[in-house]
Amino acid sequence: MTARKRYWLMKSEPDAFSIDDLEKVGTEPWNGVRNYQARNFMRSMQVGDGVLFYHSNCKEPGIVGTATVSSAAYPDETQFDPKSDYHDPKSTREDPRWSLVDVAFERKLTRTITLDEIKQHADALGDGFALIQRGNRLSVLPVTAAQWKFLLALE
DNA sequence: GCCAACGTTGGC
DNA sequence: GCCAACGTTGGC
């Protein structure tokens, strides 16, 4: 039995990993997430779920493309690697603390749907769109089917 | 580069 | 279990 397709927004700093990088490699393990809430969202993802690819911490923050979840959650290898920036000495192979999913490139948007523009549509998006909630820093967050449709219609 | 917001850590 | 200190995120 397959659950109904769900939707997510995932942030990445384009200097570190951009939508162009994803297009080049095709599929990428979404490593380095070290926030429990974000991790829990990834653990609940299913193959085929839709992803809005968001560029953060850059000149023009916003949604730049779409991707799909292409694996179930599995342990993030970087947590075990002492040489990695994402190394977590408190995590063990027996009981891994951090998980990730693979994300597959779908398409680039013809233009960036900017954060500024998204904020202007806060009413239409409804309360609780985590991206534009005050002070929110979550790097992985859920998007409803209605929000997905609305946001992509702005393109 | 600044800084507000927020999560985590660790002393007590 | 409180909370101050600290580190990180991310818009500006």
Side-chain angles (χ1 to χ4, degrees), chain A residues 59-132:
Chain A
K59 214 168 182 179
E60 193 178 50
I63 297 162
V64 293
T66 64
T68 52
V69 174
S70 63
S71 80
Y74 61 95
D76 180 344
E77 271 303 310
T78 63
Q79 71 194 298
F80 307 124
D81 179 1
K83 293 193 290 288
S84 169
D85 286 347
Y86 303 128
H87 181 232
D88 183 348
K90 290 181 185 159
S91 184
T92 63
R93 290 205 177 264
E94 293 68 39
D95 186 21
R97 182 180 288 189
W98 304 110
S99 303
L100 55 70
V101 295
D102 291 341
V103 171
F105 177 80
E106 194 169 80
R107 72 181 181 99
K108 270 198 268 186
L109 300 193
T110 55
R111 67 180 190 87
T112 300
I113 298 170
T114 65
L115 176 62
D116 189 55
E117 195 177 350
I118 294 167
K119 283 179 177 166
Q120 288 171 28
H121 293 286
D123 287 348
L125 289 161
D127 338 313
F129 186 42
L131 182 72
I132 50 178

Side-chain angles (χ1 to χ4, degrees), chain A residues 54-65:
Chain A
Y54 179 91
H55 279 173
S56 67
N57 212 356
C58 57
K59 214 168 182 179
E60 193 178 50
I63 297 162
V64 293

Side-chain angles (χ1 to χ4, degrees), chain A residues 11-77:
Chain A
K11 296 181 188 175
S12 185
E13 300 188 16
D15 288 346
F17 190 80
S18 69
I19 187 74
D20 292 319
D21 294 325
L22 184 63
E23 182 173 27
K24 257 175 248 162
V25 296
T27 300
E28 178 76 2
W30 204 264
N31 60 32
V33 171
R34 295 294 178 268
N35 171 283
Y36 288 106
Q37 214 181 335
R39 179 204 68 179
N40 292 342
F41 285 138
M42 286 203 289
R43 285 185 177 175
S44 71
M45 288 181 185
Q46 306 232 345
V47 173
D49 282 359
V51 174
L52 295 172
F53 196 107
Y54 179 91
H55 279 173
S56 67
N57 212 356
C58 57
K59 214 168 182 179
E60 193 178 50
I63 297 162
V64 293
T66 64
T68 52
V69 174
S70 63
S71 80
Y74 61 95
D76 180 344
E77 271 303 310

Side-chain angles (χ1 to χ4, degrees), chain A residues 2 6 33 52 67 96 101 139 154-155:
Chain A
T2 309
R6 287 187 293 178
V33 171
L52 295 172
V101 295
S139 63
L154 295 175
E155 184 182 0

